[in-house]
Amino acid sequence: MQNKVSIIGAGNVGSALAFLLAQKELAKIVLIDIDKDMAIGKTLDIYQACSALGIDCKIYGSNAYEDVSNSAVVVITAGFPRKAGMDRAELLAKNASIIKDIVKNIVKYAPNSIILMVTNPLDVMTYYAFKLSGFDRTKVLGEAGMLDTSRFATFISQKLNFSIQNINSLIFGTHNDKMFTINRYINIGGFPISLFMKTKEIKKLIERTKKGGEEIIKLLKTSSASYAPAASCFRMIEAILKDKKYICCSSIYLDGEYGIKDVCIGLPVKLGKNGVEEIIKLPLTAKEKKYLLDAASNCKELIKQLPF
Ligand code: APR
């Protein structure tokens, strides 16, 4: 096991991700939390779960940032999650101060790592980490496009009663109500979705996806989604560590693509050992381009609130 992945934040998402990574024996894992006991307690529990499963796990819990040194990937899940009725943007000020400190430590101890952001508001925090770190933009990713795509694909699969493996769909834009899909780029087992579903029905599923996180918070009451965010991170980390050249949606800093600059939004990218190895350039209609521009300007407004 050569690879090392560090996870900052041993809460619901961080610990679920650590357990997934451990089960796949993909990397040595370091779980960091401001609450040292929490990090060590989760680590012990995961070790013992792996023992029951017959898995050789290498996981270490700590509150010391020097332990992230030599990580290939550092995932940031630290920060406050939403409560029922909250908008992700309401987390901006509280989570920004947490992210600032964490990024400083990543730069110090793991300057060659790839940062994968999970903390909300996702696209804004990805932008913040990119700017604060000074890392190449290909090394600072945000997980939400993958998560929203997973939610959308779940709803399509349930509605049509086809295997999730047959659903090829992508969600673009920001991790809020500015996310969108492009129907003609969705296929089911290689066939256009229009053969199976009316535009009106697809629209309903997109609306449900936009509220996908909120739907779960309302049911859980005291916490927010964890398994799907963790699994989405897992797929992205796997693509990086195994150099898969995998296409998925990731939040990424744009420097002129689609005429958009100085903002992070979710777009299809190719993931490999160098992080984002390509931003896939899609032909867009004027209407689709407008969706993208709306998402970008929404994120730009929030970026203005960041304390640099
Ligand atoms: N350094 C390290 N860990 C921290 C820090 C910090 N400065 N501040 C908070 N933490 C830790 C907390 O101690 C807690 O264990 O971050 C963890 C967050 O865990 P949860 O409260 O369970 O939150 P979670 O559901 O995992 O969500 C984390 O991901 O999906 C997003 O919106 C969500 O922004 C939220 C983040």
Side-chain angles (χ1 to χ4, degrees):
M1 229 187 270
Q2 293 297 322
N3 291 310
K4 176 171 170 182
V5 174
S6 294
I7 303 166
I8 319 295
N12 287 321
V13 180
S15 58
L17 173 61
F19 190 35
L20 259 180
L21 285 165
Q23 286 175 68
K24 304 283 183 180
E25 297 187 9
L26 197 62
K28 290 185 220 162
I29 306 152
V30 171
L31 198 50
I32 302 271
D33 202 284
I34 198 165
D35 180 345
K36 188 180 178 187
D37 288 347
M38 164 80 99
I40 295 174
K42 293 280 189 184
T43 299
L44 272 174
D45 196 12
I46 290 170
Y47 244 121
Q48 292 158 16
C50 288
S51 163
L53 294 168
I55 289 166
D56 290 311
C57 135
K58 298 259 180 290
I59 184 164
Y60 182 74
S62 165
N63 64 346
Y65 277 98
E66 51 264 39
D67 293 321
V68 312
S69 64
N70 296 318
S71 296
V73 181
V74 181
V75 187
I76 305 180
T77 75
F80 295 93
R82 274 191 299 169
K83 298 211 168 78
M86 258 177 116
D87 187 273
R88 290 185 186 95
E90 291 174 53
L91 300 169
L92 195 148
K94 272 157 100 181
N95 283 348
S97 67
I98 293 173
I99 298 304
K100 195 171 197 172
D101 181 55
I102 291 171
V103 172
K104 194 179 72 195
N105 280 294
I106 296 173
V107 171
K108 183 167 178 193
Y109 294 108
N112 299 315
S113 62
I114 291 170
I115 296 176
L116 178 55
M117 182 62 68
V118 181
T119 302
N120 277 310
L122 191 281
D123 305 280
V124 183
M125 291 304 149
T126 307
Y127 177 91
Y128 203 34
F130 166 69
K131 287 287 176 180
L132 293 173
S133 67
F135 284 11
D136 193 277
R137 67 177 176 142
T138 57
K139 311 272 185 202
V140 185
L141 288 61
E143 148 271 17
M146 183 80 204
L147 169 62
D148 296 321
T149 294
S150 308
R151 286 181 169 149
F152 185 47
T154 304
F155 301 146
I156 297 173
S157 163
Q158 287 175 340
K159 180 85 187 166
L160 295 179
N161 197 22
F162 283 126
S163 163
I164 196 71
Q165 292 180 4
N166 285 140
I167 316 297
N168 275 307
S169 59
L170 288 172
I171 296 287
F172 312 89
T174 37
H175 189 43
N176 56 17
D177 63 0
K178 299 289 178 197
M179 68 178 76
F180 64 97
T181 193
I182 299 177
N183 294 1
R184 67 201 158 91
Y185 291 136
I186 308 174
N187 78 72
I188 312 294
F191 306 111
I193 193 166
S194 55
L195 290 183
F196 306 97
M197 218 187 253
K198 294 199 170 74
T199 307
K200 211 168 81 188
E201 285 177 283
I202 301 173
K203 220 171 172 179
K204 270 193 207 158
L205 300 189
I206 271 289
E207 290 310 311
R208 187 171 175 199
T209 305
K210 285 182 187 174
K211 296 185 168 24
E214 206 178 313
E215 183 178 359
I216 291 174
I217 293 171
K218 274 188 188 147
L219 293 163
L220 299 184
K221 297 182 180 71
T222 55
S223 57
S224 62
S226 54
Y227 299 113
S232 304
C233 286
F234 174 81
R235 286 297 292 277
M236 294 175 82
I237 295 167
E238 183 187 41
I240 293 166
L241 298 184
K242 293 186 176 173
D243 194 22
K244 274 183 170 285
K245 318 295 186 195
Y246 174 63
I247 293 181
C248 66
C249 266
S250 166
S251 191
I252 174 84
Y253 181 85
L254 295 189
D255 193 19
E257 291 81 7
Y258 299 97
I260 301 170
K261 254 182 182 279
D262 201 33
V263 70
C264 286
I265 49 176
L267 280 169
V269 300
K270 181 167 87 177
L271 284 188
K273 65 177 185 318
N274 301 309
V276 170
E277 298 188 352
E278 186 182 338
I279 299 175
I280 312 283
K281 300 209 180 66
L282 297 171
L284 297 181
T285 62
K287 194 171 161 197
E288 292 157 359
K289 178 108 186 277
K290 184 171 179 318
Y291 287 141
L292 206 56
L293 290 171
D294 276 356
S297 62
N298 174 272
C299 188
K300 278 192 176 182
E301 276 308 305
L302 293 172
I303 281 170
K304 287 182 192 158
Q305 297 174 34
L306 283 171
F308 280 103

